[in-house]
Amino acid sequence: MSEIVANDVRLHVQRIGPPGGAGTDIPTVVMLHGMVMDNMSSFYLSLGTYLSDAGCDVICYDLRGHGRSERTPDGYRLTDSLADLTGLLDELGVDQPVHLVGNSYGATMALAYGLEHGERVASLTLIEPPFLLEGLGEEMARSLSQILAAMSDDEVEQWLQQAAGRVAGRATRSARRLLQETTIAGDMLATQPFSTEALGRLAMPVLVVYGENSDIVDQAETLTSVIPNTTLVVLAHHTHMVLREATGYLRELMRWWLFEDRGTEPPVYVPRTERRFETPRWVTDMVPPPDLNTPRPAAAAEGGRG
């Protein structure tokens, strides 16, 4: 399987592992990647194939406008992303609640989907979710505008021509076209704030993962204080790029989350040498260093319950 049409949009999809469905004990896991500089490959290569080998029915897809999915000129509001996901599940004939795993924007999307379609969600795994009770849309739109401004810099163009590898250069140019040729940044402004009352009624279990040195780790405390049945894991020495930086541990954590008794503690995080992905300096320069005066979440860096 490579392409399907869902919600009138052509989406690039990969489904791997044993088929799940009604009457089976096979968990169906749907992975939602981040925005602009990301696509389904980040999940497929890190957690997707591992979980399929572990016995999961895994669905990875490129969000609208990303990777090999159709780049429509508009339709990038959060509500559009949720409608695309519903259309995808319907087209695939997924008739049982799924485990949503999201990274960055994909995590915010997963949380919103759990609120809107709780009957279709068995659990949520939120990796580095941007989470603000007010001004979330404005913050995401501001971030996208910063990325576009950075991409228009002469230094970036020089990096693309002289130093970027083929894959990195292609991904960066694709991201620039997405920002320049679609309404994605403006559409983010339509993102509605989360309702604390609705969040307090979430019935499914929620796993939240942040890097201790992430620029948004301060949002973890608010998120876990309003959502019941939440397990918070904060990984020492890691950043917003925790999916790439701590892949090995996330594999252990997801196996525990999907297959083991959640009455037990999460697996202990043991720092190890992980494969590192080189990030261009112009990207890291846009991410402010963490405010060392900001109190950190109470959960232990080795993993704890929120």
Side-chain angles (χ1 to χ4, degrees):
M1 179 184 303
S2 58
E3 292 184 350
I4 65 170
V5 175
N7 194 31
D8 296 324
V9 180
R10 177 179 50 79
L11 298 176
H12 174 227
V13 183
Q14 294 294 329
R15 189 171 188 176
I16 52 178
T24 76
D25 294 326
I26 298 172
T28 296
V29 180
V30 180
M31 298 188 159
L32 308 172
H33 65 74
M35 187 183 293
V36 179
M37 290 294 293
D38 201 3
N39 57 56
M40 62 166 279
S41 65
S42 61
F43 265 129
Y44 187 94
L45 297 173
S46 59
L47 302 182
T49 54
Y50 173 82
L51 290 178
S52 70
D53 290 343
C56 295
D57 173 18
V58 178
I59 299 170
C60 297
Y61 74 103
D62 288 323
L63 300 181
R64 175 195 299 242
H66 295 71
R68 297 181 180 178
S69 286
E70 181 181 358
R71 184 188 297 122
T72 58
D74 54 18
Y76 294 91
R77 297 170 299 174
L78 181 59
T79 53
D80 296 316
S81 297
L82 303 187
D84 290 350
L85 176 54
T86 294
L88 174 75
L89 295 177
D90 289 345
E91 287 295 323
L92 294 177
V94 176
D95 55 4
Q96 79 279 11
V98 300
H99 300 269
L100 292 181
V101 182
N103 180 51
S104 194
Y105 171 76
T108 301
M109 178 182 163
L111 180 57
Y113 199 83
L115 288 170
E116 293 293 327
H117 303 283
E119 74 284 354
R120 302 194 74 161
V121 180
S123 76
L124 297 172
T125 297
L126 312 178
I127 303 172
E128 283 285 322
F131 179 82
L132 294 173
L133 290 173
E134 296 293 339
L136 178 61
E138 290 84 351
E139 179 64 21
M140 289 193 293
R142 182 189 65 80
S143 296
L144 293 182
S145 296
Q146 285 183 327
I147 293 173
L148 179 58
M151 285 181 173
S152 303
D153 188 81
D154 291 341
E155 181 182 345
V156 176
E157 191 59 41
Q158 183 179 8
W159 172 77
L160 285 172
Q161 294 177 3
Q162 300 179 3
R166 181 173 58 86
V167 174
R170 184 171 64 243
T172 304
R173 291 187 177 92
S174 177
R176 185 161 58 187
R177 289 194 298 271
L178 176 64
L179 290 167
Q180 291 175 333
E181 299 172 6
T182 75
T183 60
I184 186 170
D187 285 354
M188 286 298 102
L189 290 171
T191 304
Q192 296 297 309
F194 286 111
S195 161
T196 54
E197 292 77 15
L199 290 168
R201 295 193 297 269
L202 274 178
M204 75 285 296
V206 181
L207 174 64
V208 181
V209 182
Y210 280 98
E212 183 188 41
N213 294 328
S214 168
D215 59 306
I216 60 172
V217 67
D218 58 306
Q219 299 174 17
E221 186 173 4
T222 302
L223 189 154
T224 54
S225 68
V226 298
I227 301 177
N229 199 13
T230 301
T231 299
L232 172 64
V233 176
V234 178
L235 299 183
H237 313 302
H238 288 292
T239 69
H240 186 65
M241 305 294 287
V242 65
L243 178 62
R244 295 186 174 186
E245 294 174 349
T247 301
Y249 174 74
L250 289 177
R251 289 175 174 176
E252 297 175 21
L253 184 65
M254 289 305 305
R255 191 179 186 98
W256 166 81
W257 181 250
L258 294 171
F259 293 104
E260 298 182 23
D261 180 5
R262 293 184 190 142
T264 63
E265 291 296 315
V268 174
Y269 173 62
V270 179
R272 67 193 70 186
T273 301
E274 301 267 6
R275 180 183 178 188
R276 298 289 177 172
F277 291 74
E278 184 177 357
T279 303
R281 195 185 73 184
W282 66 270
V283 174
T284 58
D285 284 349
M286 288 189 299
V287 180
D291 184 354
L292 299 180
N293 295 318
T294 300
R296 294 302 189 205
E302 293 184 347
R305 289 190 184 278

